[in-house]
Amino acid sequence: MSDHEPHTSRYDGAWVEGAALSRGVALTPERAQEIAASVAPVLDAFSAIADELAVDDDMYEFRRLLAAEARRE
Amino acid sequence: MSDMRTWSVAEVAGAIRRGETTCAEVTQARLEQARRVDPELACFIELEAEAAMERAHALDAQADERDRPMFGVPFAHKDVFVGDRFTPSAGSRNVPIHMRGRTSPMLDRLADAGAISLGRLNLDQFGYAATGANPDFGHTRNPWDTDRIAGGSSSGAAAAVATGVVPFAIGSDTGGSVRIPASFCGVVGLKPTFGRLPKRGAVAMSYSQDTLGILARSVKDAAIVLEAAAGHDPLDPSSFDVPAPAFARDLAGESGRLDGVRLGVDRAQLAATTGQDVHAAVETAIGVLEGLGARVVEIDLACLARYDIAATVLTWAEIGAVHGSTFARRRADYAPATRSRLETTLASRGADHVDALRYQGRALLEFRDRILSHVDVVVTATTGRSPETVAAVVDGAEEGVPVSLAALRLNRPFNFLGLPSMSVPIGFASDGLPMGLQLVTRPWAEGRLLACGAAYQTVTDWHRLMPPMADRGAGGTKARQP
């Protein structure tokens, strides 16, 4: 299980504004706040999922499994 | 001669092979149908009538080629493919699409099989919604009620197949974009296993989840198209070197019985995700499948909510990358609703992307071991309720986002898992709108889905019905009006 702190406070308007700016998009504080309100629940839930991953959960496992299933079929 | 608009893929190819009609006659009839319904439905971004007739005449001059499986069969494709004559719009007039490649093996394989493209079909901009609303090319209307959305993002494909413009169409599906409009418009929508169909030359939305798909009136037609198009593309890094079965031939050998097939059903999830009409229709459809010999096994699909969350983050990261620098430089050129959705993707981080990909393997392993080891086919509704009105989607404060999300939640988890999934029409709600049953199975086992869907269609007629507007003249202009 996770030993991380809850992430809820991380995804606020200032966080979204900064993330967007780092990718070359300037958002108004109001728009950034709107986005934060919609994405925070998703990102919080995703953080909880990601916290369950082990170091050896590899991003190529999906393709390996599909290839193994092909041999099975 | 019977109404050509209802002819299946096999019927068209067979009639041409036997000399009962010609490619030119068939193509002309379908083009006329396109001209009849398109002003009201906005199926097409570009109807390529001249090129289609030219190809039809060329095929008619090649009589010795008539044994090709789709010789002379008209089709159309979502406007996401590059071709030697065109660059895709991906549903946007103002944002340029830069594609390095100039060919699509998917379109090439269909051409090799003898199919004739009638043109490029409408979609939600960049495929990034599930409503079919498009401010640049017109909002695709549902042929069963033109005040309603067709669903998306392969909106034009579903509406064109439903109205007999083409016997099949090619779409793409990242979170339900083939199955959702198929359900809303009353046609079959097949999303094969991730990597089964070659997607090189198609505009990407989410590299790790994008799958091309087939919309057709019948499951048998979908099998013919899948057989013609499936196969490894060595130049497509997402393609798997997996032998493609003879789907259509194998289906022809099926008994139509489903004895021993285990249907996985989560009745609590079904009740929670559907309205009264869809719930009842899905239960009735399950009863039909049981009557064919299938056996229901209760399963727990609570895991789908977590896969949907991860799929959302993965999609944000990847479509955010697809549009990254273009969006930063030309944000004003994007339509307002699309711009709003893409702004949301900016909240994803690189590490989230990697974590979503890492979780994708874990999720598939979990779903395989906990669910697919115990059942042959998972059954859900494709869409839980009837489609919204176009006005509600276009004029709503959030411009279709809630509508898209509700439809995606039943579909997107199976894109994240890479699993083959298919929507089959199962009747009409009390408001007259079609409903769909979603069937899902193990990777590469599309044949099992096709057998199940085809057996269902041998004892039901929902897929044979044509919306009344398909017979009307080109009087309406709703879709093209601002």
Side-chain angles (χ1 to χ4, degrees):
Chain A
M1 290 298 291
S2 167
D3 56 1
H4 294 186
E5 293 297 316
H7 298 281
T8 309
S9 61
R10 190 198 302 171
Y11 307 109
D12 59 10
W15 189 91
V16 170
E17 201 176 343
L21 200 56
S22 75
R23 296 168 71 170
V25 176
L27 299 174
T28 64
E30 295 75 21
R31 177 62 183 143
Q33 184 55 50
E34 273 178 17
I35 293 172
S38 68
V39 303
V42 177
L43 291 174
D44 285 337
F46 182 68
S47 293
I49 291 168
D51 283 349
E52 302 283 341
L53 292 169
V55 172
D56 54 355
D57 285 329
D58 190 288
M59 60 192 284
Y60 300 106
E61 177 72 353
F62 178 68
R63 288 191 64 86
R64 190 195 66 75
L65 277 170
L66 283 181
E69 286 291 310
R71 288 190 291 275
R72 178 187 178 279
E73 281 292 322
Chain B
M1 186 175 290
S2 66
D3 186 352
M4 276 190 189
R5 296 172 306 173
T6 64
W7 285 10
S8 68
V9 170
E11 286 169 338
V12 172
I16 292 170
R17 193 178 304 122
R18 293 188 298 271
E20 295 166 8
T21 186
T22 64
C23 301
E25 280 180 355
V26 168
T27 301
Q28 188 60 46
R30 299 288 184 155
L31 288 171
E32 284 170 13
Q33 180 66 355
R35 293 187 184 105
R36 184 176 294 122
V37 301
D38 196 48
E40 191 154 13
L41 298 182
C43 301
F44 281 90
I45 282 179
E46 178 111 29
L47 183 64
E48 298 170 323
E50 197 174 324
M53 287 308 300
E54 195 175 306
R55 170 145 165 85
H57 288 302
L59 287 174
D60 280 330
Q62 301 172 7
D64 55 339
E65 300 283 331
R66 285 181 187 172
D67 59 347
R68 287 193 266 170
M70 291 192 286
F71 190 83
V73 177
F75 79 104
H77 60 84
K78 187 175 182 176
D79 193 18
V80 294
F81 294 96
V82 291
D84 51 9
R85 301 189 316 279
F86 48 79
T87 299
S89 70
S92 171
R93 284 192 196 280
N94 301 318
V95 178
I97 302 290
H98 173 60
M99 298 280 282
R100 211 176 292 284
R102 297 306 312 160
T103 59
S104 155
M106 182 71 182
L107 298 188
D108 289 348
R109 288 175 188 180
L110 296 174
D112 289 346
I116 299 173
S117 174
L118 299 193
R120 297 179 283 140
L121 295 163
N122 207 352
L123 66 153
D124 292 275
Q125 290 196 323
F126 310 110
Y128 197 29
T131 66
N134 186 313
D136 287 3
F137 293 101
H139 309 310
T140 307
R141 303 273 174 165
N142 192 304
W144 293 94
D145 177 350
T146 56
D147 287 335
R148 308 284 189 114
I149 59 170
S153 63
S154 305
S155 52
V161 170
T163 49
V165 173
V166 282
F168 79 93
I170 300 301
S172 60
D173 190 318
T174 303
S177 284
V178 162
R179 291 158 287 162
I180 292 166
S183 175
F184 282 166
C185 293
V187 301
V188 171
L190 171 63
K191 180 204 86 70
T193 309
F194 179 81
R196 173 70 93 184
L197 291 172
K199 65 183 185 187
R200 179 164 56 92
V203 176
M205 180 177 155
S206 171
Y207 299 100
S208 306
Q209 300 173 98
D210 292 342
T211 310
L212 300 185
I214 299 158
L215 298 101
R217 295 178 69 80
S218 73
V219 172
K220 287 181 180 175
D221 276 356
I224 293 170
V225 179
L226 183 63
E227 181 174 322
H232 183 226
D233 173 12
L235 299 181
D236 178 350
S238 71
S239 175
F240 282 77
D241 190 1
V242 175
F247 293 106
R249 191 194 62 202
D250 292 350
L251 193 56
E254 291 282 339
S255 65
R257 294 286 306 170
L258 298 174
D259 297 307
V261 173
R262 298 165 299 171
L263 299 178
V265 180
D266 180 342
R267 288 206 149 91
Q269 185 254 12
L270 180 62
T273 56
T274 53
Q276 189 177 352
D277 289 349
V278 174
H279 190 184
V282 170
E283 288 287 6
T284 301
I286 290 169
V288 170
L289 295 170
E290 286 182 300
L292 292 165
R295 175 168 61 87
V296 169
V297 176
E298 288 285 343
I299 56 173
D300 180 356
L301 292 176
C303 54
L304 297 186
R306 284 187 296 133
Y307 307 155
D308 187 56
I309 290 286
T312 302
V313 173
L314 185 54
T315 304
W316 285 348
E318 296 191 344
I319 195 170
V322 169
H323 290 271
S325 59
T326 305
F327 190 64
R329 283 185 282 108
R330 305 184 57 151
R331 191 155 49 119
D333 290 338
Y334 286 75
T338 311
R339 184 164 64 232
S340 174
R341 291 182 199 117
L342 286 171
E343 284 173 351
T344 298
T345 72
L346 296 168
S348 66
R349 304 170 306 161
D352 295 332
H353 182 222
V354 173
D355 282 345
L357 292 172
R358 293 169 66 210
Y359 182 57
Q360 202 175 17
R362 293 302 308 165
L364 177 55
L365 190 64
E366 174 187 75
F367 198 78
R368 185 192 70 180
D369 292 349
R370 292 189 186 172
I371 305 292
L372 296 175
S373 295
H374 305 289
V375 301
D376 299 302
V377 177
V378 173
V379 174
T380 74
T382 311
T383 49
R385 288 168 179 77
S386 290
E388 285 283 353
T389 64
V390 173
V393 167
V394 172
D395 301 334
E398 297 188 60
E399 305 201 57
V401 169
V403 175
S404 290
L405 289 178
L408 291 168
R409 284 193 186 108
L410 287 166
N411 292 258
R412 186 164 47 192
F414 302 115
N415 294 76
F416 186 67
L417 298 170
L419 299 176
S421 318
M422 181 170 68
S423 181
V424 179
I426 53 169
F428 295 83
S430 51
D431 58 9
L433 274 299
M435 300 174 287
L437 182 77
Q438 181 171 229
L439 306 170
V440 183
T441 193
R442 295 182 80 101
W444 315 109
E446 289 90 349
R448 190 176 295 157
L449 287 189
L450 296 167
C452 204
Y456 178 80
Q457 290 193 329
T458 60
V459 293
T460 59
D461 281 329
W462 304 117
H463 60 294
R464 298 185 199 283
L465 302 176
M466 186 85 80
M469 72 82 56
D471 291 321
R472 288 208 295 268
T477 55
K478 281 181 182 175
R480 302 296 184 188
Q481 287 173 348

PDB file of all heavy atoms in Angstrom, chain B residues 217-248:
ATOM      1  N   ARG B 217     -23.990  -3.140 -41.128  1.00  0.00           N
ATOM      2  CA  ARG B 217     -25.363  -3.451 -40.704  1.00  0.00           C
ATOM      3  C   ARG B 217     -25.412  -4.819 -40.024  1.00  0.00           C
ATOM      4  O   ARG B 217     -26.186  -5.018 -39.106  1.00  0.00           O
ATOM      5  CB  ARG B 217     -26.305  -3.415 -41.910  1.00  0.00           C
ATOM      6  CG  ARG B 217     -26.429  -2.018 -42.513  1.00  0.00           C
ATOM      7  CD  ARG B 217     -27.314  -2.017 -43.730  1.00  0.00           C
ATOM      8  NE  ARG B 217     -28.712  -2.271 -43.399  1.00  0.00           N
ATOM      9  CZ  ARG B 217     -29.535  -1.355 -42.922  1.00  0.00           C
ATOM     10  NH1 ARG B 217     -29.106  -0.129 -42.714  1.00  0.00           N
ATOM     11  NH2 ARG B 217     -30.790  -1.642 -42.670  1.00  0.00           N
ATOM     12  N   SER B 218     -24.599  -5.731 -40.495  1.00  0.00           N
ATOM     13  CA  SER B 218     -24.651  -7.073 -39.912  1.00  0.00           C
ATOM     14  C   SER B 218     -23.278  -7.497 -39.403  1.00  0.00           C
ATOM     15  O   SER B 218     -22.242  -7.012 -39.875  1.00  0.00           O
ATOM     16  CB  SER B 218     -25.140  -8.087 -40.952  1.00  0.00           C
ATOM     17  OG  SER B 218     -24.130  -8.325 -41.907  1.00  0.00           O
ATOM     18  N   VAL B 219     -23.279  -8.428 -38.474  1.00  0.00           N
ATOM     19  CA  VAL B 219     -22.037  -8.998 -37.957  1.00  0.00           C
ATOM     20  C   VAL B 219     -21.302  -9.742 -39.070  1.00  0.00           C
ATOM     21  O   VAL B 219     -20.073  -9.709 -39.162  1.00  0.00           O
ATOM     22  CB  VAL B 219     -22.358  -9.934 -36.770  1.00  0.00           C
ATOM     23  CG1 VAL B 219     -21.115 -10.689 -36.334  1.00  0.00           C
ATOM     24  CG2 VAL B 219     -22.941  -9.133 -35.609  1.00  0.00           C
ATOM     25  N   LYS B 220     -22.051 -10.397 -39.932  1.00  0.00           N
ATOM     26  CA  LYS B 220     -21.418 -11.136 -41.039  1.00  0.00           C
ATOM     27  C   LYS B 220     -20.631 -10.189 -41.944  1.00  0.00           C
ATOM     28  O   LYS B 220     -19.542 -10.527 -42.410  1.00  0.00           O
ATOM     29  CB  LYS B 220     -22.473 -11.894 -41.850  1.00  0.00           C
ATOM     30  CG  LYS B 220     -23.023 -13.105 -41.122  1.00  0.00           C
ATOM     31  CD  LYS B 220     -24.041 -13.848 -41.966  1.00  0.00           C
ATOM     32  CE  LYS B 220     -24.572 -15.053 -41.188  1.00  0.00           C
ATOM     33  NZ  LYS B 220     -25.647 -15.751 -41.902  1.00  0.00           N
ATOM     34  N   ASP B 221     -21.185  -9.024 -42.204  1.00  0.00           N
ATOM     35  CA  ASP B 221     -20.453  -8.050 -43.022  1.00  0.00           C
ATOM     36  C   ASP B 221     -19.190  -7.582 -42.301  1.00  0.00           C
ATOM     37  O   ASP B 221     -18.128  -7.425 -42.924  1.00  0.00           O
ATOM     38  CB  ASP B 221     -21.342  -6.839 -43.334  1.00  0.00           C
ATOM     39  CG  ASP B 221     -22.245  -7.092 -44.535  1.00  0.00           C
ATOM     40  OD1 ASP B 221     -22.126  -8.160 -45.151  1.00  0.00           O
ATOM     41  OD2 ASP B 221     -23.065  -6.200 -44.848  1.00  0.00           O
ATOM     42  N   ALA B 222     -19.304  -7.355 -41.002  1.00  0.00           N
ATOM     43  CA  ALA B 222     -18.117  -6.934 -40.242  1.00  0.00           C
ATOM     44  C   ALA B 222     -17.029  -7.998 -40.332  1.00  0.00           C
ATOM     45  O   ALA B 222     -15.835  -7.689 -40.430  1.00  0.00           O
ATOM     46  CB  ALA B 222     -18.496  -6.676 -38.786  1.00  0.00           C
ATOM     47  N   ALA B 223     -17.428  -9.262 -40.335  1.00  0.00           N
ATOM     48  CA  ALA B 223     -16.452 -10.361 -40.428  1.00  0.00           C
ATOM     49  C   ALA B 223     -15.745 -10.355 -41.788  1.00  0.00           C
ATOM     50  O   ALA B 223     -14.536 -10.588 -41.868  1.00  0.00           O
ATOM     51  CB  ALA B 223     -17.164 -11.702 -40.212  1.00  0.00           C
ATOM     52  N   ILE B 224     -16.497 -10.089 -42.844  1.00  0.00           N
ATOM     53  CA  ILE B 224     -15.890 -10.047 -44.182  1.00  0.00           C
ATOM     54  C   ILE B 224     -14.843  -8.935 -44.254  1.00  0.00           C
ATOM     55  O   ILE B 224     -13.730  -9.115 -44.754  1.00  0.00           O
ATOM     56  CB  ILE B 224     -16.976  -9.829 -45.259  1.00  0.00           C
ATOM     57  CG1 ILE B 224     -17.897 -11.045 -45.341  1.00  0.00           C
ATOM     58  CG2 ILE B 224     -16.341  -9.538 -46.619  1.00  0.00           C
ATOM     59  CD1 ILE B 224     -19.139 -10.839 -46.202  1.00  0.00           C
ATOM     60  N   VAL B 225     -15.200  -7.770 -43.711  1.00  0.00           N
ATOM     61  CA  VAL B 225     -14.279  -6.628 -43.762  1.00  0.00           C
ATOM     62  C   VAL B 225     -13.056  -6.900 -42.886  1.00  0.00           C
ATOM     63  O   VAL B 225     -11.913  -6.623 -43.281  1.00  0.00           O
ATOM     64  CB  VAL B 225     -14.998  -5.334 -43.321  1.00  0.00           C
ATOM     65  CG1 VAL B 225     -14.036  -4.150 -43.360  1.00  0.00           C
ATOM     66  CG2 VAL B 225     -16.211  -5.065 -44.207  1.00  0.00           C
ATOM     67  N   LEU B 226     -13.288  -7.450 -41.708  1.00  0.00           N
ATOM     68  CA  LEU B 226     -12.164  -7.744 -40.809  1.00  0.00           C
ATOM     69  C   LEU B 226     -11.202  -8.738 -41.459  1.00  0.00           C
ATOM     70  O   LEU B 226      -9.981  -8.568 -41.396  1.00  0.00           O
ATOM     71  CB  LEU B 226     -12.683  -8.301 -39.472  1.00  0.00           C
ATOM     72  CG  LEU B 226     -11.610  -8.581 -38.421  1.00  0.00           C
ATOM     73  CD1 LEU B 226     -10.895  -7.309 -38.005  1.00  0.00           C
ATOM     74  CD2 LEU B 226     -12.236  -9.258 -37.192  1.00  0.00           C
ATOM     75  N   GLU B 227     -11.758  -9.734 -42.096  1.00  0.00           N
ATOM     76  CA  GLU B 227     -10.898 -10.729 -42.754  1.00  0.00           C
ATOM     77  C   GLU B 227     -10.047 -10.092 -43.856  1.00  0.00           C
ATOM     78  O   GLU B 227      -8.872 -10.420 -44.011  1.00  0.00           O
ATOM     79  CB  GLU B 227     -11.757 -11.852 -43.345  1.00  0.00           C
ATOM     80  CG  GLU B 227     -10.926 -12.935 -44.012  1.00  0.00           C
ATOM     81  CD  GLU B 227     -11.774 -14.127 -44.465  1.00  0.00           C
ATOM     82  OE1 GLU B 227     -12.718 -14.495 -43.732  1.00  0.00           O
ATOM     83  OE2 GLU B 227     -11.485 -14.682 -45.533  1.00  0.00           O
ATOM     84  N   ALA B 228     -10.644  -9.157 -44.587  1.00  0.00           N
ATOM     85  CA  ALA B 228      -9.915  -8.524 -45.690  1.00  0.00           C
ATOM     86  C   ALA B 228      -8.832  -7.569 -45.189  1.00  0.00           C
ATOM     87  O   ALA B 228      -7.811  -7.380 -45.856  1.00  0.00           O
ATOM     88  CB  ALA B 228     -10.902  -7.768 -46.585  1.00  0.00           C
ATOM     89  N   ALA B 229      -9.054  -6.972 -44.024  1.00  0.00           N
ATOM     90  CA  ALA B 229      -8.156  -5.885 -43.599  1.00  0.00           C
ATOM     91  C   ALA B 229      -7.160  -6.284 -42.519  1.00  0.00           C
ATOM     92  O   ALA B 229      -6.147  -5.601 -42.327  1.00  0.00           O
ATOM     93  CB  ALA B 229      -8.999  -4.705 -43.093  1.00  0.00           C
ATOM     94  N   ALA B 230      -7.423  -7.346 -41.785  1.00  0.00           N
ATOM     95  CA  ALA B 230      -6.562  -7.695 -40.653  1.00  0.00           C
ATOM     96  C   ALA B 230      -5.219  -8.233 -41.126  1.00  0.00           C
ATOM     97  O   ALA B 230      -5.115  -8.816 -42.199  1.00  0.00           O
ATOM     98  CB  ALA B 230      -7.260  -8.733 -39.779  1.00  0.00           C
ATOM     99  N   GLY B 231      -4.229  -8.031 -40.305  1.00  0.00           N
ATOM    100  CA  GLY B 231      -2.914  -8.584 -40.615  1.00  0.00           C
ATOM    101  C   GLY B 231      -1.799  -7.662 -40.198  1.00  0.00           C
ATOM    102  O   GLY B 231      -2.005  -6.462 -39.996  1.00  0.00           O
ATOM    103  N   HIS B 232      -0.637  -8.237 -40.057  1.00  0.00           N
ATOM    104  CA  HIS B 232       0.518  -7.492 -39.554  1.00  0.00           C
ATOM    105  C   HIS B 232       0.989  -6.443 -40.551  1.00  0.00           C
ATOM    106  O   HIS B 232       1.025  -6.695 -41.755  1.00  0.00           O
ATOM    107  CB  HIS B 232       1.660  -8.498 -39.291  1.00  0.00           C
ATOM    108  CG  HIS B 232       2.872  -7.878 -38.708  1.00  0.00           C
ATOM    109  ND1 HIS B 232       4.140  -8.141 -39.163  1.00  0.00           N
ATOM    110  CD2 HIS B 232       3.012  -6.989 -37.695  1.00  0.00           C
ATOM    111  CE1 HIS B 232       5.017  -7.461 -38.449  1.00  0.00           C
ATOM    112  NE2 HIS B 232       4.360  -6.752 -37.555  1.00  0.00           N
ATOM    113  N   ASP B 233       1.336  -5.289 -40.019  1.00  0.00           N
ATOM    114  CA  ASP B 233       1.974  -4.241 -40.810  1.00  0.00           C
ATOM    115  C   ASP B 233       3.352  -4.002 -40.202  1.00  0.00           C
ATOM    116  O   ASP B 233       3.463  -3.397 -39.135  1.00  0.00           O
ATOM    117  CB  ASP B 233       1.139  -2.953 -40.761  1.00  0.00           C
ATOM    118  CG  ASP B 233       1.856  -1.784 -41.425  1.00  0.00           C
ATOM    119  OD1 ASP B 233       2.875  -2.017 -42.105  1.00  0.00           O
ATOM    120  OD2 ASP B 233       1.387  -0.637 -41.257  1.00  0.00           O
ATOM    121  N   PRO B 234       4.404  -4.480 -40.836  1.00  0.00           N
ATOM    122  CA  PRO B 234       5.744  -4.369 -40.235  1.00  0.00           C
ATOM    123  C   PRO B 234       6.199  -2.936 -40.027  1.00  0.00           C
ATOM    124  O   PRO B 234       7.116  -2.696 -39.240  1.00  0.00           O
ATOM    125  CB  PRO B 234       6.649  -5.117 -41.233  1.00  0.00           C
ATOM    126  CG  PRO B 234       5.868  -5.217 -42.484  1.00  0.00           C
ATOM    127  CD  PRO B 234       4.421  -5.176 -42.129  1.00  0.00           C
ATOM    128  N   LEU B 235       5.569  -1.992 -40.704  1.00  0.00           N
ATOM    129  CA  LEU B 235       5.968  -0.591 -40.541  1.00  0.00           C
ATOM    130  C   LEU B 235       5.150   0.124 -39.469  1.00  0.00           C
ATOM    131  O   LEU B 235       5.343   1.307 -39.232  1.00  0.00           O
ATOM    132  CB  LEU B 235       5.835   0.150 -41.880  1.00  0.00           C
ATOM    133  CG  LEU B 235       6.713  -0.391 -43.007  1.00  0.00           C
ATOM    134  CD1 LEU B 235       6.513   0.438 -44.279  1.00  0.00           C
ATOM    135  CD2 LEU B 235       8.182  -0.372 -42.597  1.00  0.00           C
ATOM    136  N   ASP B 236       4.217  -0.587 -38.853  1.00  0.00           N
ATOM    137  CA  ASP B 236       3.384   0.001 -37.806  1.00  0.00           C
ATOM    138  C   ASP B 236       3.844  -0.572 -36.460  1.00  0.00           C
ATOM    139  O   ASP B 236       3.647  -1.761 -36.184  1.00  0.00           O
ATOM    140  CB  ASP B 236       1.913  -0.364 -38.072  1.00  0.00           C
ATOM    141  CG  ASP B 236       0.964   0.157 -36.997  1.00  0.00           C
ATOM    142  OD1 ASP B 236       1.449   0.641 -35.950  1.00  0.00           O
ATOM    143  OD2 ASP B 236      -0.251   0.064 -37.200  1.00  0.00           O
ATOM    144  N   PRO B 237       4.467   0.248 -35.620  1.00  0.00           N
ATOM    145  CA  PRO B 237       4.998  -0.293 -34.359  1.00  0.00           C
ATOM    146  C   PRO B 237       3.931  -0.822 -33.416  1.00  0.00           C
ATOM    147  O   PRO B 237       4.234  -1.577 -32.497  1.00  0.00           O
ATOM    148  CB  PRO B 237       5.732   0.910 -33.743  1.00  0.00           C
ATOM    149  CG  PRO B 237       5.246   2.104 -34.470  1.00  0.00           C
ATOM    150  CD  PRO B 237       4.760   1.667 -35.805  1.00  0.00           C
ATOM    151  N   SER B 238       2.681  -0.458 -33.620  1.00  0.00           N
ATOM    152  CA  SER B 238       1.615  -0.966 -32.747  1.00  0.00           C
ATOM    153  C   SER B 238       0.988  -2.247 -33.287  1.00  0.00           C
ATOM    154  O   SER B 238       0.147  -2.851 -32.634  1.00  0.00           O
ATOM    155  CB  SER B 238       0.521   0.090 -32.571  1.00  0.00           C
ATOM    156  OG  SER B 238      -0.203   0.241 -33.760  1.00  0.00           O
ATOM    157  N   SER B 239       1.401  -2.646 -34.469  1.00  0.00           N
ATOM    158  CA  SER B 239       0.815  -3.835 -35.085  1.00  0.00           C
ATOM    159  C   SER B 239       1.490  -5.103 -34.557  1.00  0.00           C
ATOM    160  O   SER B 239       2.702  -5.116 -34.329  1.00  0.00           O
ATOM    161  CB  SER B 239       1.000  -3.750 -36.611  1.00  0.00           C
ATOM    162  OG  SER B 239       0.555  -4.919 -37.241  1.00  0.00           O
ATOM    163  N   PHE B 240       0.707  -6.148 -34.359  1.00  0.00           N
ATOM    164  CA  PHE B 240       1.248  -7.417 -33.869  1.00  0.00           C
ATOM    165  C   PHE B 240       1.337  -8.412 -35.024  1.00  0.00           C
ATOM    166  O   PHE B 240       0.446  -8.462 -35.871  1.00  0.00           O
ATOM    167  CB  PHE B 240       0.345  -7.999 -32.775  1.00  0.00           C
ATOM    168  CG  PHE B 240       0.536  -7.344 -31.436  1.00  0.00           C
ATOM    169  CD1 PHE B 240      -0.011  -6.097 -31.170  1.00  0.00           C
ATOM    170  CD2 PHE B 240       1.291  -7.968 -30.451  1.00  0.00           C
ATOM    171  CE1 PHE B 240       0.169  -5.481 -29.945  1.00  0.00           C
ATOM    172  CE2 PHE B 240       1.479  -7.360 -29.219  1.00  0.00           C
ATOM    173  CZ  PHE B 240       0.913  -6.115 -28.959  1.00  0.00           C
ATOM    174  N   ASP B 241       2.408  -9.181 -34.986  1.00  0.00           N
ATOM    175  CA  ASP B 241       2.599 -10.194 -36.024  1.00  0.00           C
ATOM    176  C   ASP B 241       1.816 -11.442 -35.626  1.00  0.00           C
ATOM    177  O   ASP B 241       2.364 -12.432 -35.157  1.00  0.00           O
ATOM    178  CB  ASP B 241       4.089 -10.512 -36.180  1.00  0.00           C
ATOM    179  CG  ASP B 241       4.357 -11.371 -37.405  1.00  0.00           C
ATOM    180  OD1 ASP B 241       3.390 -11.691 -38.126  1.00  0.00           O
ATOM    181  OD2 ASP B 241       5.524 -11.717 -37.630  1.00  0.00           O
ATOM    182  N   VAL B 242       0.513 -11.338 -35.799  1.00  0.00           N
ATOM    183  CA  VAL B 242      -0.410 -12.394 -35.383  1.00  0.00           C
ATOM    184  C   VAL B 242      -1.178 -12.863 -36.618  1.00  0.00           C
ATOM    185  O   VAL B 242      -1.721 -12.030 -37.349  1.00  0.00           O
ATOM    186  CB  VAL B 242      -1.414 -11.846 -34.341  1.00  0.00           C
ATOM    187  CG1 VAL B 242      -2.453 -12.891 -33.989  1.00  0.00           C
ATOM    188  CG2 VAL B 242      -0.675 -11.378 -33.104  1.00  0.00           C
ATOM    189  N   PRO B 243      -1.228 -14.156 -36.863  1.00  0.00           N
ATOM    190  CA  PRO B 243      -2.003 -14.624 -38.023  1.00  0.00           C
ATOM    191  C   PRO B 243      -3.466 -14.196 -37.910  1.00  0.00           C
ATOM    192  O   PRO B 243      -4.051 -14.285 -36.826  1.00  0.00           O
ATOM    193  CB  PRO B 243      -1.877 -16.145 -37.953  1.00  0.00           C
ATOM    194  CG  PRO B 243      -0.740 -16.421 -37.027  1.00  0.00           C
ATOM    195  CD  PRO B 243      -0.647 -15.270 -36.099  1.00  0.00           C
ATOM    196  N   ALA B 244      -4.024 -13.759 -39.006  1.00  0.00           N
ATOM    197  CA  ALA B 244      -5.437 -13.352 -39.007  1.00  0.00           C
ATOM    198  C   ALA B 244      -6.278 -14.526 -39.481  1.00  0.00           C
ATOM    199  O   ALA B 244      -6.083 -15.015 -40.599  1.00  0.00           O
ATOM    200  CB  ALA B 244      -5.641 -12.145 -39.904  1.00  0.00           C
ATOM    201  N   PRO B 245      -7.195 -14.994 -38.665  1.00  0.00           N
ATOM    202  CA  PRO B 245      -8.058 -16.091 -39.105  1.00  0.00           C
ATOM    203  C   PRO B 245      -8.929 -15.688 -40.297  1.00  0.00           C
ATOM    204  O   PRO B 245      -9.099 -14.492 -40.577  1.00  0.00           O
ATOM    205  CB  PRO B 245      -8.932 -16.370 -37.880  1.00  0.00           C
ATOM    206  CG  PRO B 245      -8.274 -15.695 -36.739  1.00  0.00           C
ATOM    207  CD  PRO B 245      -7.520 -14.539 -37.308  1.00  0.00           C
ATOM    208  N   ALA B 246      -9.497 -16.677 -40.945  1.00  0.00           N
ATOM    209  CA  ALA B 246     -10.474 -16.407 -42.009  1.00  0.00           C
ATOM    210  C   ALA B 246     -11.827 -16.175 -41.325  1.00  0.00           C
ATOM    211  O   ALA B 246     -12.673 -17.066 -41.242  1.00  0.00           O
ATOM    212  CB  ALA B 246     -10.537 -17.581 -42.967  1.00  0.00           C
ATOM    213  N   PHE B 247     -12.005 -14.954 -40.814  1.00  0.00           N
ATOM    214  CA  PHE B 247     -13.155 -14.671 -39.951  1.00  0.00           C
ATOM    215  C   PHE B 247     -14.489 -14.997 -40.629  1.00  0.00           C
ATOM    216  O   PHE B 247     -15.376 -15.594 -40.019  1.00  0.00           O
ATOM    217  CB  PHE B 247     -13.135 -13.204 -39.516  1.00  0.00           C
ATOM    218  CG  PHE B 247     -12.003 -12.857 -38.607  1.00  0.00           C
ATOM    219  CD1 PHE B 247     -10.922 -12.111 -39.073  1.00  0.00           C
ATOM    220  CD2 PHE B 247     -12.002 -13.256 -37.284  1.00  0.00           C
ATOM    221  CE1 PHE B 247      -9.869 -11.784 -38.233  1.00  0.00           C
ATOM    222  CE2 PHE B 247     -10.952 -12.932 -36.436  1.00  0.00           C
ATOM    223  CZ  PHE B 247      -9.886 -12.197 -36.913  1.00  0.00           C
ATOM    224  N   ALA B 248     -14.629 -14.576 -41.871  1.00  0.00           N
ATOM    225  CA  ALA B 248     -15.916 -14.770 -42.558  1.00  0.00           C
ATOM    226  C   ALA B 248     -16.163 -16.251 -42.833  1.00  0.00           C
ATOM    227  O   ALA B 248     -17.275 -16.754 -42.639  1.00  0.00           O
ATOM    228  CB  ALA B 248     -15.942 -13.965 -43.849  1.00  0.00           C
TER     229      ALA B 248
END
